[in-house]
Amino acid sequence: MTSHQPIRTALIGLGIAGSGFHTPLILSLPELFVLCFVVDVDTSPHRPGSANDASFAAKFGANTKFTSNYNSVLADQGIELIVIATPTNTHFEFAKAALGAGKHVLLDKPVTTTHNEAKILGQLAEERGRIIYAFQNRRWDSDFLTVQRLIREGILGDITDFESHYDRYRDYLKGTWKEQAVPGGGQFYSLGPHLIDQALHCFGRPTSVTGFIQNIRGTGDLSVDDDFTVILHYARTDKRPTVLTAILRGHLLSLRKNQLRYSIRGSHGTFSKYGIDPQEEQLKQHGAAAFALSDFAIESPDIWGTLETISTPPSSSASSTSGDDNGSESSAQTGNNHSSGSIVSIPIESERGRYQDLYMNLFATIRTNATPAIQWSEAELTMLITELAIQSSKEGRTVQVPPADAVPLLKETSMDSSSTRKATTSPRRLGWSLFRSSVHRKGDTESTRMA
Amino acid sequence: MTNPIRTGVVGAGLAATAFHVPLVLSLPELFVLHSVVERTPPADRPQGTVASKFEVSVNLVRKYEDLLSNPDIELIIIATPNATHYNFAKAALEAGKHVLVDKPVTTTYEEAKELGEIAQRKHLVLYAFQNRRWDSDYLTLRKVLEKGTLGHITDFVSHYDRYRNFLKGSWKETASPGTGLVYDLGTHLIDQALHSFGRPSKVTAFIQNLRGIGDDSVDDNFTIIMHYPRSDTNPYLLTVTLRAHPLSQRTPQLRYTIRGSKGTFVKYGLDVQEEQMKEKGVQAFGKDWFGKESDDIQAELEVVEKEGDNEPIKSRIQSERGAYQELYKNLAGAIRNNSEMAVKWSQAAMVMLIVDLAVQSSKEGRTIDVPSVQY
């Protein structure tokens, strides 16, 4: 890798994502990236990172230039990569322009507001022979890396129930664009794509989706959600002998010191985890210097997860611990009905988080044609599931997920360019039949799903 | 001067022997166990399962009609398989008897409604055995809710999880009306939620056979969501989620996670009375350990003093004592003194309405509006 030149990069969008994540990450890898420009088209005086203050060089590097002229950056032949960290409803246009100008693109999440937009970008990137990469950084959260390891190593067996939460307590409005009724606004677009991407990465394409996306606090614009529950239903398959339900939850009035993060049940055990990956907070506090911290991305033991598992394999006989209790509720509940073994509880040391790995993989993808850890098709699927969850919530019903080859690319319409939230690829409108498991599962190639 | 209620029990299976018979026998000033209907007593116990197990003398009746026609019997306790509850209860009411019926009280709302109307017309007590209103955990939770400690409730999650990777081979696992986990355990969870929050505006349910063993149409896993709109008493939307998972390797199992605008309540474990009664029968009652759960499974509270504070303070709550006898005392009071029933039949009927809607929601894959019903 060191024989390759660093990638000349421009970053557009200097809000929380741009200043809090991308800037320190880029600056922390000087052999891989050079931050040539930061672009901010938002002229609000409250925005961080405006070029006029003296701290600019300290924040963005002595050689980084500021501009509010995106087009000039796109026209600059020397720039190879555009990192887009602007509000969601501008992602599509900025990414399209960047690809059109022959640049590689790293696009913050959610990558677009519609599935079709994501597909258009994917096709454009392919036509141009350029990389488009979704910034799903939370694949490298400590907790998710830990969960992945447990699943991959078969420690939990066949997963039957996967609960994944981003809960917090906020009873006031922050006054940001995310609370406005704009495409991409609301808590679901903000937090949902992380949870959806992680679940899809673990389990692949679901059979159907149920969403409850609502404004529970009754504050601000009531059409802007502040609370969501999205359920991904997975039918039994040859590879998966039990049904699987993934419940993705974002509750905004949750008063807990350590919020529940995961509750995962499998045939061999249960994994429970509380708390949140430390990298975001560390980056907020220390910027690029965070990476040098000895405890960077290391979770404290008080938020390590717990594995509970039967210490010896359960017997498959019908013997129960209490005599002739036929269909009893209590042995149903106190038990853990198995004739041998008892449940042990084991703390699981958290994997170390590694946001830099995303940028390192991006470098390798651009310079050496390495396989991207995040396939663009996974980002497309995330947007499809996002749309279906919204549709489900609106229509009050569970929505079937069409098979991978069943959703065609729609040519851009005026609706797409205005980035509405409407599900323009509604399976019903396209008249698709229910997903049939006998159809060749193109979904298997879509994600790097663990066995 | 006591006038114990002369009681007949129908059924000699788990519900009768683990719950009803010990409870009746434990309150001799209020009840006398007069007869037991057991169609086919075991060959080695011709006096009947109950008489032999509890070493009491009790009339063994082979045919239900004989119980109904006995003028001495005042109260009939129905502890038979779910699909028979409606018929047995109806016959008992028509014979002029008071009735205590185990849950689920029927297999449909319409049946429950009909029974309620008969009881009303004939001025009889018709009581649903929703004993888990007197579980330690629920009593503890009720106290917290009544105090308003958690503020306005926004998220109420209630679980009955267990680990069982085999079939027990009971009637509950064969496909017939009223079998499956929703009828068996769901009715408890639904009743508690209705008791605390009233009638929801919508229901969404996912009811399935998760383990893939036994009859595929008999569910062993459910998620039932009850949606509540904003109201005069709660400015926030409330979502109640009731879950039962049959392959959950945890000990103790999670029971409640409840979130409100001022705090969170989390509880693990399960009420001890059932185990204690199964082990010690009538001897369990009156002991200082009866209904007392271990401190290990005390509920955990995280609360703020006032809404808007962001740093909750953790504490643990002493569990209330479980008290199944209170149901029976309340039943006796209703029969003898016309006291107000703690478990109203309209509540039991509402449970069956929610069950009906949950089954429909799961079948049709959509959220169902809860109709406002007269009863």
Side-chain angles (χ1 to χ4, degrees), chain B residues 258-271:
Chain B
I258 296 156
R259 291 179 288 186
S261 55
K262 281 169 61 184
T264 298
F265 174 101
V266 176
K267 186 142 192 334
Y268 291 80
L270 184 73
D271 183 89

Side-chain angles (χ1 to χ4, degrees), chain B residues 204-262:
Chain B
T204 312
F206 308 100
I207 300 169
Q208 54 198 2
N209 182 304
L210 179 149
R211 295 171 299 174
I213 56 180
D215 191 320
D216 203 48
S217 69
V218 179
D219 62 278
D220 62 5
N221 175 237
F222 63 79
T223 299
I224 298 172
I225 303 174
M226 290 163 44
H227 310 269
Y228 289 82
R230 282 179 238 285
S231 68
D232 295 331
T233 48
N234 190 350
Y236 303 115
L237 298 184
L238 163 65
T239 301
V240 167
T241 306
L242 313 173
R243 306 200 73 205
H245 195 287
L247 288 179
S248 177
Q249 288 182 35
R250 286 189 96 160
T251 187
Q253 300 279 5
L254 176 64
R255 180 71 186 83
Y256 292 112
T257 304
I258 296 156
R259 291 179 288 186
S261 55
K262 281 169 61 184

Side-chain angles (χ1 to χ4, degrees), chain A residues 238-435:
Chain A
D238 297 331
K239 283 195 211 153
R240 185 178 14 249
T242 68
V243 298
L244 161 64
T245 303
I247 299 179
L248 314 176
R249 186 91 180 82
H251 186 57
L252 205 53
L253 284 177
S254 179
L255 265 173
R256 290 184 95 160
K257 179 162 174 277
N258 286 321
Q259 302 282 0
L260 174 67
R261 179 69 187 86
Y262 291 108
S263 174
I264 302 170
R265 286 170 295 181
S267 55
H268 293 168
T270 297
F271 180 69
S272 316
K273 181 134 194 345
Y274 297 80
I276 189 123
D277 180 273
Q279 293 174 87
E280 179 175 354
E281 194 50 44
Q282 289 172 322
L283 286 169
K284 234 199 234 163
Q285 278 197 36
H286 303 277
F291 299 102
L293 295 169
S294 60
D295 66 343
F296 178 68
I298 294 181
E299 290 194 339
S300 88
D302 70 320
I303 58 169
W304 287 358
T306 303
L307 172 69
E308 291 178 85
T309 182
I310 294 174
S311 59
T312 60
S315 155
S316 60
S317 79
S319 67
S320 101
T321 50
S322 37
D324 60 344
D325 54 334
N326 208 14
S328 120
E329 291 167 19
S330 135
S331 58
Q333 293 155 51
T334 52
N336 308 332
N337 271 83
H338 45 86
S339 60
S340 64
S342 57
I343 294 191
V344 294
S345 178
I346 305 165
I348 301 291
E349 182 173 352
S350 299
E351 299 289 306
R352 193 171 188 172
R354 309 195 279 278
Y355 287 167
Q356 285 175 312
D357 275 26
L358 185 155
Y359 265 89
M360 287 159 65
N361 178 246
L362 174 63
F363 177 90
T365 305
I366 291 173
R367 282 286 183 256
T368 71
N369 216 23
T371 308
I374 304 173
Q375 311 268 347
W376 186 253
S377 56
E378 295 182 276
E380 289 174 6
L381 183 61
T382 294
M383 292 324 301
L384 176 63
I385 300 304
T386 299
E387 280 191 17
L388 295 179
I390 292 167
Q391 179 190 357
S392 165
S393 184
K394 274 205 179 92
E395 297 181 7
R397 63 182 190 93
T398 296
V399 175
Q400 299 298 312
V401 179
D405 48 5
V407 188
L409 182 69
L410 301 184
K411 284 227 174 63
E412 249 189 284
T413 64
S414 58
M415 274 168 74
D416 283 328
S417 57
S418 65
S419 300
T420 64
R421 270 161 94 163
K422 263 186 158 168
T424 55
T425 54
S426 150
R428 264 190 337 171
R429 285 174 61 173
L430 297 170
W432 295 110
S433 58
L434 291 179
F435 173 72

Side-chain angles (χ1 to χ4, degrees), chain B residues 30-285:
Chain B
L30 302 179
F31 301 94
V32 56
L33 183 60
H34 185 286
S35 303
V36 175
V37 179
E38 188 177 11
R39 243 184 340 190
T40 320
D44 58 339
R45 280 173 279 167
Q47 75 276 43
T49 302
V50 169
S52 110
K53 187 171 173 129
F54 294 92
E55 290 166 355
V56 290
S57 110
V58 71
N59 295 323
L60 176 63
V61 176
R62 306 290 294 270
K63 287 200 312 206
Y64 187 48
E65 292 69 27
D66 297 338
L67 190 73
L68 296 177
S69 58
N70 186 336
D72 288 342
I73 300 290
E74 302 177 77
L75 164 70
I76 294 183
I77 299 174
I78 297 168
T80 54
N82 301 343
T84 64
H85 288 180
Y86 165 72
N87 284 325
F88 280 128
K90 186 168 180 183
L93 291 171
E94 282 171 352
K97 312 296 186 196
H98 302 291
V99 173
L100 172 67
V101 56
D102 211 319
K103 37 62 51 185
V105 296
T106 54
T107 59
T108 70
Y109 167 72
E110 289 299 326
E111 288 173 343
K113 179 172 177 224
E114 189 196 335
L115 293 178
E117 285 165 351
I118 298 173
Q120 207 166 16
R121 198 178 359 107
K122 303 189 71 146
H123 305 291
L124 292 166
V125 172
L126 176 58
Y127 204 110
F129 187 64
Q130 293 290 5
N131 57 312
R132 292 196 178 274
R133 296 234 195 137
W134 286 272
D135 274 4
S136 309
D137 47 43
Y138 188 63
L139 291 172
T140 308
L141 171 62
R142 286 299 314 155
K143 257 197 157 166
V144 171
L145 291 176
E146 275 154 21
K147 268 205 205 138
T149 310
L150 303 178
H152 298 293
I153 309 300
T154 57
D155 200 69
F156 180 99
V157 181
S158 177
H159 285 242
Y160 273 154
D161 298 331
R162 56 189 169 173
Y163 186 84
R164 191 190 291 162
N165 65 346
F166 56 84
L167 296 177
K168 293 195 96 160
S170 77
W171 61 266
K172 290 187 181 187
E173 287 152 352
T174 56
S176 71
T179 56
L181 219 54
V182 172
Y183 287 93
D184 187 19
L185 298 182
T187 46
H188 283 307
L189 300 184
I190 294 169
D191 175 72
Q192 289 184 352
L194 293 177
H195 181 240
S196 287
F197 303 110
R199 186 183 135 265
S201 60
K202 298 193 250 226
V203 173
T204 312
F206 308 100
I207 300 169
Q208 54 198 2
N209 182 304
L210 179 149
R211 295 171 299 174
I213 56 180
D215 191 320
D216 203 48
S217 69
V218 179
D219 62 278
D220 62 5
N221 175 237
F222 63 79
T223 299
I224 298 172
I225 303 174
M226 290 163 44
H227 310 269
Y228 289 82
R230 282 179 238 285
S231 68
D232 295 331
T233 48
N234 190 350
Y236 303 115
L237 298 184
L238 163 65
T239 301
V240 167
T241 306
L242 313 173
R243 306 200 73 205
H245 195 287
L247 288 179
S248 177
Q249 288 182 35
R250 286 189 96 160
T251 187
Q253 300 279 5
L254 176 64
R255 180 71 186 83
Y256 292 112
T257 304
I258 296 156
R259 291 179 288 186
S261 55
K262 281 169 61 184
T264 298
F265 174 101
V266 176
K267 186 142 192 334
Y268 291 80
L270 184 73
D271 183 89
V272 296
Q273 295 172 85
E274 182 179 346
E275 273 310 300
Q276 291 175 332
M277 283 157 59
K278 280 205 323 241
E279 225 185 309
K280 301 285 188 191
V282 189
Q283 310 310 321
F285 300 100

